[in-house]
Amino acid sequence: MAVNKNVNAGARTVRPRRRDAARNRDALIAAGRELFDANGLTPTLDDVARHAGVGVGTAYRHFPNKYALAQAVLAESVTDMLDAADRAAQLDDAAAGLAALFDAVLEPQAAKRALGRVLRDAPDTAPPVDDVHTRIENCIDTLLERAREQQVVRSDITATDIGVLMSLMGHLIERFGDVDAHLWRRFLPILLHGLRADAPAPLPGTALNTEDFISRLGRSTQP
Amino acid sequence: MAVNKNVNAGARTVRPRRRDAARNRDALIAAGRELFDANGLTPTLDDVARHAGVGVGTAYRHFPNKYALAQAVLAESVTDMLDAADRAAQLDDAAAGLAALFDAVLEPQAAKRALGRVLRDAPDTAPPVDDVHTRIENCIDTLLERAREQQVVRSDITATDIGVLMSLMGHLIERFGDVDAHLWRRFLPILLHGLRADAPAPLPGTALNTEDFISRLGRSTQP
DNA sequence: CGCAAAATGGAGATGCGTCTCCGATTCTGT
DNA sequence: ACAGAATCGGAGACGCATCTCCATTTTGCG
């Protein structure tokens, strides 16, 4: 082979971003972080662009839509969250593990007001957001099995049940988070206690299957 | 006083609606019921008008907005709901009463897909919707006091805590109701069990005050 | 009947967020 | 220093729901 000017030989040829482009991209992410952390996903991509001191067109060339920018902004929080979830799944005490898992999933959502929305509603997801559902579900599966062995949850609870509860708590954070960012911590013990093993009667109905659960997770609330 | 042509002497003079107007109004309510029951609040007032075979202008003269029409459509469900709630509040067994109260509030929301949204988001409410919050809160207060006496709930639970839980369940219905309209029944026992008296540690943080609770109840979910 | 008041209906104004287009500007390799 | 490519910026097109305006039609009283 002749001279290969591109360092990135194996991957698809990628010429480095121009310096002004990189600067603008960074400015957009910074502005996005600022606005999204403070106001959730309410601000428009136009808002973020203005706040970053660039034109709307620039914003839309760098990020196809608000959610793409939000994913860039929140990438680190998401990987942190997944790490924390994995750590929770490794706890031998299943009850503690479940509590830690809820914590791992909810605490970041309470800290970053846009995170919950991105996790649930982003129209097209990229790493690391794209496999949050799978990864978390694995953690749930692991802990749930362990919890059943240790008899610390009622046996008719399924993984999607836990998922539903997590999404409910996420909703609680979204709805009441600006009045009291820690309110979810108040309800977590109630929930966890409710999941405990001493069940007088089996849970009515059947749990959701994973597909239905995922499908309804996204933007459902109507006009 | 001279002759009073109007039968409705005491109230503000109200001349009877013209026959075509009454017909259209009824058609709108019927069409609204049909569309709202099937699709929640998604359809626009324009949709309902078309479905009722009347012009948009007509719809907007009869009802200032979608929520006003929805309230007319759902009025009966709401009074039924309040009756059921009052009945629940009269049960001597506080645990059963609480369960019945949740049922009274949630079952209608599951049956009428638009109800939850109206209860939470309607921008201006008229009877009987306007005092749902007060009436329900009274029921909660009554039952909660009784439940504490009977030691069937942990003593650190407040009325707004119950309200928050009700709103969460309402959200569950909205989010997952079209996949499984009865899913909420699966989670109710978990919740109720979680509220029970054997508390290993006090609930963290403080409960919401009523004002904050009400204020955050409305349309919060963002773009 | 006849006529004034009431009611109609639907085109289109308004508002809001999303996103595109393209002439102007700024970079970068030579 | 210069050409050509890459990037910028923001006016405005678009989609969608909400709501208004007023020329026309319907009603019902006298």
Side-chain angles (χ1 to χ4, degrees), chain A residues 28-38 48 72-76 112:
Chain A
L28 281 166
I29 294 188
R33 172 164 296 126
E34 210 169 307
L35 292 187
F36 290 155
D37 282 1
V48 179
V73 164
L74 295 169
E76 198 178 339
K112 306 280 179 176

Side-chain angles (χ1 to χ4, degrees), chain A residues 39-42 66-67 113 117 120-121 154 156-158 160-161 164-165 167-169 171-172 174-176 178-180 183 185-187 189-191 193-196 198 200 203-208 212-213 215-223, chain B residues 39-42 66-67 113 117 120-121 154 156-158 160-161 164-165 167-169 171-172 174-176 178-180 183 185-187 189-191 193-196 198 200 203-208 212-213 215-223:
Chain A
N39 312 313
L41 277 188
T42 310
K66 196 158 69 168
Y67 293 92
R113 300 198 47 199
R117 287 291 311 284
R120 274 178 273 107
D121 304 337
R154 45 190 305 166
D156 44 5
I157 292 284
T158 71
T160 60
D161 287 333
V164 168
L165 290 175
S167 90
L168 285 192
M169 292 295 272
H171 176 73
L172 185 156
E174 221 159 84
R175 184 162 285 240
F176 299 103
D178 57 344
V179 169
D180 178 354
L183 192 66
R185 291 196 182 280
R186 188 170 171 82
F187 290 90
I190 299 180
L191 256 182
H193 187 242
L195 294 173
R196 286 202 152 283
D198 40 4
L203 292 177
T206 55
L208 247 39
D212 286 341
F213 170 63
S215 81
R216 297 289 101 207
L217 213 46
R219 189 115 208 73
S220 70
T221 332
Q222 296 164 357
Chain B
N39 312 313
L41 276 188
T42 312
K66 195 159 68 169
Y67 294 92
R113 299 198 47 200
R117 286 290 310 285
R120 274 179 274 106
D121 304 337
R154 44 190 305 166
D156 45 4
I157 291 283
T158 72
T160 59
D161 287 332
V164 168
L165 290 175
S167 89
L168 285 191
M169 293 294 273
H171 176 73
L172 186 155
E174 221 159 84
R175 184 162 285 238
F176 299 103
D178 58 343
V179 168
D180 178 354
L183 192 66
R185 290 195 182 280
R186 187 171 171 82
F187 290 89
I190 300 180
L191 259 184
H193 186 245
L195 294 173
R196 285 202 154 284
D198 39 5
L203 292 177
T206 55
L208 246 39
D212 286 341
F213 169 63
S215 80
R216 296 290 100 208
L217 213 45
R219 189 117 209 71
S220 69
T221 332
Q222 296 164 357

Side-chain angles (χ1 to χ4, degrees), chain A residues 139-159:
Chain A
C139 296
I140 296 178
D141 285 338
T142 307
L143 282 170
L144 212 47
E145 191 181 349
R146 194 170 305 151
R148 287 213 198 84
E149 283 167 16
Q150 302 178 9
Q151 314 226 4
V152 292
V153 296
R154 45 190 305 166
S155 57
D156 44 5
I157 292 284
T158 71

Side-chain angles (χ1 to χ4, degrees), chain B residues 77-87 104 128-129 131-133 135-136 139:
Chain B
S77 299
V78 171
T79 59
D80 288 353
M81 171 176 136
L82 289 175
D83 289 349
D86 283 339
R87 253 176 282 128
V129 175
D131 54 20
V132 165
H133 294 319
R135 296 268 308 265
I136 299 293
C139 296

Side-chain angles (χ1 to χ4, degrees), chain A residues 3-53:
Chain A
V3 179
N4 187 339
K5 282 179 164 183
N6 197 313
V7 194
N8 202 342
R12 190 182 304 273
T13 300
V14 180
R15 87 186 65 200
R17 225 185 296 274
R18 232 168 71 172
R19 209 179 320 117
D20 56 344
R23 193 179 344 111
N24 283 337
R25 203 188 127 90
D26 291 348
L28 281 166
I29 294 188
R33 172 164 296 126
E34 210 169 307
L35 292 187
F36 290 155
D37 282 1
N39 312 313
L41 277 188
T42 310
T44 68
L45 197 36
D46 293 44
D47 289 333
V48 179
R50 210 168 313 122
H51 195 262

Side-chain angles (χ1 to χ4, degrees), chain A residues 85-128:
Chain A
D86 284 338
R87 253 176 282 128
Q90 279 160 18
L91 293 181
D92 288 327
D93 178 341
L98 266 179
L101 181 60
F102 271 94
D103 230 273
V105 169
L106 297 175
E107 193 278 324
Q109 293 189 47
K112 306 280 179 176
R113 300 198 47 199
L115 182 54
R117 287 291 311 284
V118 168
L119 259 29
R120 274 178 273 107
D121 304 337
D124 22 44
T125 52

